Amino acid sequence: MKLWSDSFKDGAAIPGDNAFAIVDPKSHIRLSANRNPHLAWSDVPAGTKSFVLICVDPDVPSAGDDVNIDGKTVPANLPRVDFYHWILVDIPANVTTLAAGALSDGVQARGKPGPEIKSGVLAGSRQGINDYTKFFAGDGDMAGDYFGYDGPCPPWNDALLHHYAFTLYALNIDRLTVQGNLTGAEVLSLIEGHILAKSRITGTYTLNTELI
């Protein structure tokens, strides 16, 4: 199975339009267009009944002591953890393209609605909650359930370039038989034993002007 994007090339930088934030020379960062990237796939294995798409950044600092603080740098050798940016499940087997901006266009305080997609070619698909849900949990203006795609926003003082892995899974089941707000880790556990094929592309992103 082959996966690609017209928004960025595998191994190359993700455009600012597909990010949650971009560099601002005065305030370090500012909110961006936050549009989901275009994705398409082919060479689907026989017996595929649905797809799952997951985007994860494995380079998020495990400790936030120095994050986004003037005069500090998040060291590249700091242990890192996963941060899920997009969980999309129950994608119909006849879908082979996700248009840029179709499922996210702009930053929405308190998160976009979900989980179910109710119209279009993806009707019946569901979006899990991404990890901005946890990140903004203590923020009175931003707290909420962040369904679907929200793009990169790594610390602007991080010495490490972040990588964003978009992985598509072809499954032998047409629907995950669970309800509620699915997380990335939960979905990965649920699809074990049902994967016929998977394909991945990775984009990079940074808000550290010394790395650009």
Side-chain angles (χ1 to χ4, degrees), residues 181-193:
N181 295 349
L182 293 170
T183 66
E186 289 169 337
V187 169
L188 288 173
S189 176
L190 288 167
I191 66 176
E192 283 187 12

Side-chain angles (χ1 to χ4, degrees), residues 16 34 60 159 167 170 185 206 210:
N34 197 39
V60 170
T167 305
T206 183
E210 295 182 2

Side-chain angles (χ1 to χ4, degrees), residues 14 53-57 83-87 149 164-167:
I14 294 172
L53 176 69
I54 293 178
C55 174
V56 61
D57 171 11
F83 188 106
Y84 289 92
H85 283 265
W86 199 5
I87 303 102
Y149 178 82
Y164 298 81
F166 294 77
T167 305

Side-chain angles (χ1 to χ4, degrees), residues 125-140:
S125 302
R126 290 177 289 166
Q127 299 201 92
I129 54 171
N130 65 55
D131 281 339
Y132 283 104
T133 302
K134 293 187 295 184
F135 182 78
F136 287 125
D139 188 317

Side-chain angles (χ1 to χ4, degrees), residues 30-42:
R30 60 182 171 88
L31 297 181
S32 188
N34 197 39
R35 304 179 80 239
N36 68 272
H38 163 273
L39 292 169
W41 52 94
S42 64

Side-chain angles (χ1 to χ4, degrees), residues 49-200:
K49 294 184 177 180
S50 70
F51 301 99
V52 161
L53 176 69
I54 293 178
C55 174
V56 61
D57 171 11
D59 297 322
V60 170
S62 58
D65 299 0
D66 297 328
V67 167
N68 295 339
I69 296 177
D70 281 309
K72 299 281 190 177
T73 297
V74 178
N77 63 356
L78 181 74
R80 304 289 165 149
V81 297
D82 290 340
F83 188 106
Y84 289 92
H85 283 265
W86 199 5
I87 303 102
L88 179 59
V89 306
D90 305 335
I91 303 170
N94 63 346
V95 172
T96 57
T97 302
L98 298 177
L103 295 175
S104 179
D105 191 359
V107 173
Q108 187 167 330
R110 302 189 182 280
K112 294 180 288 295
E116 188 169 355
I117 298 173
K118 298 182 179 179
S119 61
V121 296
L122 290 172
S125 302
R126 290 177 289 166
Q127 299 201 92
I129 54 171
N130 65 55
D131 281 339
Y132 283 104
T133 302
K134 293 187 295 184
F135 182 78
F136 287 125
D139 188 317
D141 295 324
M142 297 292 286
D145 288 333
Y146 282 71
F147 288 97
Y149 178 82
D150 284 296
C153 186
W156 53 259
N157 63 339
D158 198 340
L160 185 69
L161 181 69
H162 284 228
H163 297 77
Y164 298 81
F166 294 77
T167 305
L168 182 77
Y169 300 86
L171 305 184
N172 63 3
I173 53 175
D174 57 12
R175 189 169 180 85
L176 300 186
T177 55
V178 292
Q179 301 298 320
N181 295 349
L182 293 170
T183 66
E186 289 169 337
V187 169
L188 288 173
S189 176
L190 288 167
I191 66 176
E192 283 187 12
H194 297 290
I195 301 169
L196 298 175
K198 65 180 180 180
S199 185
R200 175 178 298 164

